[in-house]
Amino acid sequence: MHLTKSRLRLRAAALAGALGTALLAGPLPAQQAAAASTLANGGFEADGTGTATPSGWSTYSAGGQNAASFTEAGGRSGGHRLSHWSSSAYKVETYQYLSGLPDGTYTLSAWVRSGGGQKAAYLALRNCGSAEQRTDLPVTTSSWIRIVTSVKVVGGGCTISVNSDAHAGNWLNVDDLSFTSGSTGLSVKGVDLSGLKKSEDLGGTYKNASGTAGDPVALLKGAGANYGRLKVWVNPADGYNDKARVLSTARRVKAQGMKLLVDFHYSDTWADPGTQTKPAAWQGHAYDRLRTDVYDHTYDVLNALKAQGTPADMVQIGNEINTGMLWPEGSTTDWPRLAGLLKSGIAAAKAVSPSAQIALHLAHGGDNALYRNWFDNAAAQGVPYDVIALSFYGYWHGPLSALQANLDDVSARYGKKVLVVETAYPFRLDSEDAHENIIDRTSELVPGYPASPAGQSAWLRDVMNVVEAVPNGRGLGVVYWEPAWTAVAGNGWDPADPASGNGWENQALFDYDSRLLPAASWFAHR
């Protein structure tokens, strides 16, 4: 819990009172410290341990529980931090009002930890002359995570606020806050719709949160999604995710005003770190012919998209290519030949759409050693690209802090934008069909994120928060993987086997009644 034994004893004596029904709308003047134009004591080092109202800050609790906010030893960079905790339920705000600010956009950055479980735990920028902005704290019990939020200041003033509406024993830590000019936000809030066409052809339907049937692309766009991602297989056994079907769904994506990310697998079926099987039509081709195959296939699909008025805005050359592609010729055991294949695909993409961003995509988004090794080799081979794309599933790929550390490092090391191009989380554990779900046990979940609509929402929210906090605006955004892959008979994992089931329906963004889930609302994130 990151509370010392002495602090636990002190907090156990804190007052317990009836709580109101809403967090503070703003600071009370009687509680307000002297206002300044720069943030004071952002590292909570001015007062030592046990200070209920740190220098430069004010504290307010509707239930008279100011003691639930205090400084204690164990800062992220210095000796102390701000903590919220009480042995009884509490609601408290620690805030600082700034005045004399030039009008403009400002960003609050802070390092945080939280045990989770609160009704609400967030940083807020309020009373700034524009709409309040807030960022919720992720659940991270050991490692610190940096989060950001930005606001437009009009009229020279702004309140910086740390808020808890918590049950007994819930805690948070905050440290190293800064408030500087600049803005944040995500330019990519995407959805992978690769399985949608087959689902609908087999009878799949989709509804809004109220139960009214609708076009799933429009429903997701209405929730805030602005990018559609479509995978491309060469000659798949079921005929889906080939060029014709990609063209069809691309028209729907673009008709909604969304941008298009095209994901080339260079296979007839799934390509991932464990499987990079050449298309049947390319089997037996020598390396030089494979380079031509990659160029021609990439050019053909992208040119057809451009010709129908739906050009790609971003192009992935390969899918989860940790170990290379088009084995064995394109394995990472032979980087010069892998680089040649990548360069062929990139050249084709740029020949069709010079402005399209080129993404190179690996899985295991929390594995910094993997990313450094892989992209160091790509740099040594002169592979040109714009975006480092990552898959990050918390139940497989580690804690959010590992994702943040990797994003921060590779974006700076290679000077590239970063994009979490695949993530998802379950909203329940049981299956709707007879096929076992990929994640179906409580022991498989990320601690602090239950398999519930609220847990799914929190996961997507927090991944977005981590990407938004990448320094220098290099965090592009997040794509949710297969939100429309619901349990429809025949739309299973294996394109060669109509009887194969779907192990993903409990991670879709449509529930077992086909209704849009609350997590989709996070696409309206800044």
Side-chain angles (χ1 to χ4, degrees):
M1 282 178 50
H2 307 287
L3 295 167
T4 64
K5 290 183 178 178
S6 61
R7 179 55 52 194
L8 280 166
R9 288 193 293 266
L10 180 60
R11 291 307 106 201
L15 292 175
L19 299 180
T21 58
L23 289 173
L24 298 175
L28 299 182
Q31 253 72 35
Q32 186 172 298
S37 60
T38 57
L39 183 68
N41 195 21
F44 304 100
E45 299 299 326
D47 309 288
T49 299
T51 302
T53 302
S55 297
W57 295 85
S58 299
T59 307
Y60 180 74
S61 171
Q65 296 167 298
N66 287 18
S69 171
F70 53 93
T71 59
E72 66 175 342
R76 187 195 73 91
S77 60
H80 298 87
R81 67 197 180 210
L82 175 72
S83 293
H84 285 180
W85 180 85
S86 177
S87 60
S88 59
Y90 64 96
K91 184 185 295 185
V92 69
E93 177 187 22
T94 309
Y95 64 91
Q96 185 172 152
Y97 180 72
L98 302 182
S99 65
L101 296 167
D103 287 356
T105 303
Y106 293 81
T107 292
L108 173 68
S109 174
W111 289 87
V112 302
R113 296 187 297 196
S114 172
Q118 299 96 333
K119 288 183 257 184
Y122 61 91
L123 305 182
L125 298 173
R126 53 166 65 108
N127 307 324
C128 305
S130 62
E132 176 182 321
Q133 298 295 320
R134 62 172 64 177
T135 298
D136 297 89
L137 270 64
V139 179
T140 169
T141 57
S142 56
S143 300
W144 292 88
I145 288 181
R146 183 184 60 255
I147 59 176
V148 297
T149 188
S150 61
V151 73
K152 184 177 181 181
V153 172
V154 179
C158 192
T159 298
I160 296 166
S161 177
V162 181
N163 299 263
S164 292
D165 185 357
H167 304 286
N170 291 160
W171 62 271
L172 64 78
N173 303 147
V174 179
D175 202 4
D176 295 338
L177 291 93
S178 65
F179 188 68
T180 57
S181 295
S183 61
T184 66
L186 298 174
S187 60
V188 177
K189 292 161 278 190
V191 285
D192 189 311
L193 297 172
S194 300
L196 176 60
K197 176 63 175 169
K198 186 173 182 180
S199 175
E200 290 178 322
D201 286 352
L202 293 171
T205 59
Y206 301 88
K207 305 171 187 175
N208 66 17
S210 299
T212 302
D215 175 2
V217 185
L219 292 174
L220 291 164
K221 170 62 187 311
N226 64 3
Y227 247 92
R229 179 180 186 243
L230 301 175
K231 69 170 174 273
V232 185
W233 289 339
V234 179
N235 291 305
D238 60 4
Y240 287 91
N241 301 300
D242 66 353
K243 182 176 78 170
R245 263 38 183 267
V246 168
L247 289 170
S248 174
T249 306
R251 289 193 292 270
R252 296 174 63 182
V253 168
K254 289 282 188 170
Q256 292 296 330
M258 299 166 72
K259 292 187 176 182
L260 178 64
L261 192 170
V262 179
D263 171 19
F264 285 95
H265 283 227
Y266 302 111
S267 181
D268 291 336
T269 187
W270 303 99
D272 55 45
T275 307
Q276 295 284 337
T277 304
K278 281 181 284 193
W282 303 0
Q283 292 289 338
H285 289 186
Y287 174 72
D288 288 343
R289 176 66 185 277
L290 287 175
R291 289 193 64 181
T292 300
D293 292 334
V294 169
Y295 186 97
D296 290 348
H297 171 62
T298 306
Y299 188 97
D300 179 46
V301 173
L302 295 179
N303 193 51
L305 285 165
K306 182 178 179 180
Q308 73 170 8
T310 61
D313 300 282
M314 189 182 300
V315 180
Q316 269 185 238
I317 304 300
N319 187 79
E320 295 191 333
I321 51 176
N322 304 33
T323 52
M325 64 187 206
L326 293 169
W327 290 346
E329 288 82 359
S331 167
T332 50
T333 59
D334 190 340
W335 255 100
R337 293 213 293 180
L338 171 57
L341 294 171
L342 294 170
K343 289 176 183 178
S344 289
I346 292 165
K350 288 297 187 180
V352 175
S353 300
S355 63
Q357 295 184 86
I358 302 299
L360 299 178
H361 172 210
L362 309 187
H364 304 98
D367 187 346
N368 182 240
L370 163 69
Y371 279 72
R372 278 191 168 213
N373 178 269
W374 202 99
F375 284 98
D376 280 356
N377 276 293
Q381 296 296 326
V383 179
Y385 64 98
D386 307 297
V387 176
I388 295 174
L390 311 88
S391 293
F392 186 76
Y393 300 96
Y395 38 73
W396 293 326
H397 298 157
L400 285 167
S401 57
L403 171 66
Q404 180 165 81
N406 192 31
L407 293 174
D408 288 359
D409 180 69
V410 299
S411 63
R413 183 178 180 87
Y414 307 107
K416 301 295 183 181
K417 300 276 190 178
V418 287
L419 170 67
V420 174
V421 79
E422 291 188 22
T423 195
Y425 204 76
F427 62 90
R428 59 194 294 170
L429 293 176
D430 61 315
S431 296
E432 187 179 8
D433 60 13
H435 190 73
E436 181 182 19
N437 288 334
I438 292 175
I439 301 298
D440 63 354
R441 296 178 179 87
T442 301
S443 61
E444 296 172 319
L445 298 174
V446 179
Y449 297 88
S452 66
Q456 183 187 59
S457 293
W459 178 256
L460 180 56
R461 177 198 74 198
D462 292 346
V463 172
M464 296 178 87
N465 286 345
V466 165
V467 177
E468 186 182 21
V470 174
N472 301 310
R474 289 185 173 137
L476 270 181
V478 175
V479 178
Y480 197 96
W481 195 71
E482 290 286 9
W485 195 2
T486 54
V488 176
N491 192 14
W493 278 101
D494 187 352
D497 181 8
S500 62
N502 175 6
W504 199 256
E505 74 269 17
N506 67 325
Q507 299 195 62
L509 291 181
F510 293 87
D511 68 16
Y512 290 3
D513 292 321
S514 301
R515 298 187 183 206
L516 190 66
L517 284 156
S521 66
W522 284 101
F523 293 128
H525 194 85
R526 288 178 297 275

